[in-house]
Amino acid sequence: MAMLSAGQRIQAANLYRSGLSVQQVADHFGVTLDATFYALRKLGVPRRTAQESNRIRFENKPLSYSIKDYLTQEEEDLKLAAVMLYWAEGYKVGKTIDFTNSDPDMVIIFRRFLREICRVDESRIRASLYCYEGQDIESLHVFWSELLGIPRSQFIKPYIKAAAPGPRGPRMIHGLVHVRYCDTKLLTQILRWIDEYRQKCVGGRVVNCDWL
């Protein structure tokens, strides 16, 4: 079994500490995993926990989006509007960005934000429709698909509420649409922006303030 020299052991330890896996370090030197583990043990380098390994893999994962660095005033306004809308109407837990609304204008704003500010991978966007039984589901799909520029193939199975819409007809004439984008890093960034705007507007959390 080929072994690493003293100098290579130090290099291997530094590569491992920088975030490379043991396999990547072994491949770098063209040696076996056993030889790499032996080198790390000789230098007293502790093995990473599964949690640490998962964190490093997450941090090193290539981004699926490219946030625009320099924004015009119009783009700043778009970002502010979209982030505030997400604060009010978006899902804030889990791994997926999920903005939900029945107001076409609000959904357009958030869709533009994803496209123009976050510059997401368009092929990863998903949409789903929530509507009432008796509504023309295909027409609603066409409406949202054309309005948002999301291909019909990227709409997942709709949720159809089996209930009477009421005496005045459907309460949501266009149904309600979810715009989803699965990327934990981008969701985290949007939540950071929410917190930044919250800090500017109210300073700190006010839920437990004495005067409420």
Side-chain angles (χ1 to χ4, degrees), residues 115-129:
R115 177 186 290 127
E116 300 173 24
I117 307 301
C118 301
R119 297 188 291 193
V120 299
D121 179 350
E122 296 283 328
S123 68
R124 293 178 53 162
I125 293 177
R126 295 293 180 268
S128 64
L129 180 67

Side-chain angles (χ1 to χ4, degrees), residues 80 83-84 87 92 190-207 209:
L80 174 59
V83 171
M84 291 298 97
W87 189 4
K92 302 169 186 70
I190 291 173
L191 297 180
R192 286 199 193 103
W193 283 329
I194 289 173
D195 197 54
E196 288 172 6
Y197 289 132
R198 179 185 60 79
Q199 290 283 352
K200 290 179 181 178
C201 294
V202 297
R205 296 187 181 277
V206 300
V207 174
C209 285

Side-chain angles (χ1 to χ4, degrees), residues 59-78:
E59 291 175 349
N60 292 338
K61 185 178 180 181
L63 297 178
S64 71
Y65 58 93
S66 175
I67 295 173
K68 191 172 183 181
D69 291 323
Y70 302 102
L71 305 182
T72 64
Q73 186 58 56
E74 180 180 351
E75 290 168 335
E76 288 284 3
D77 293 342
L78 172 60

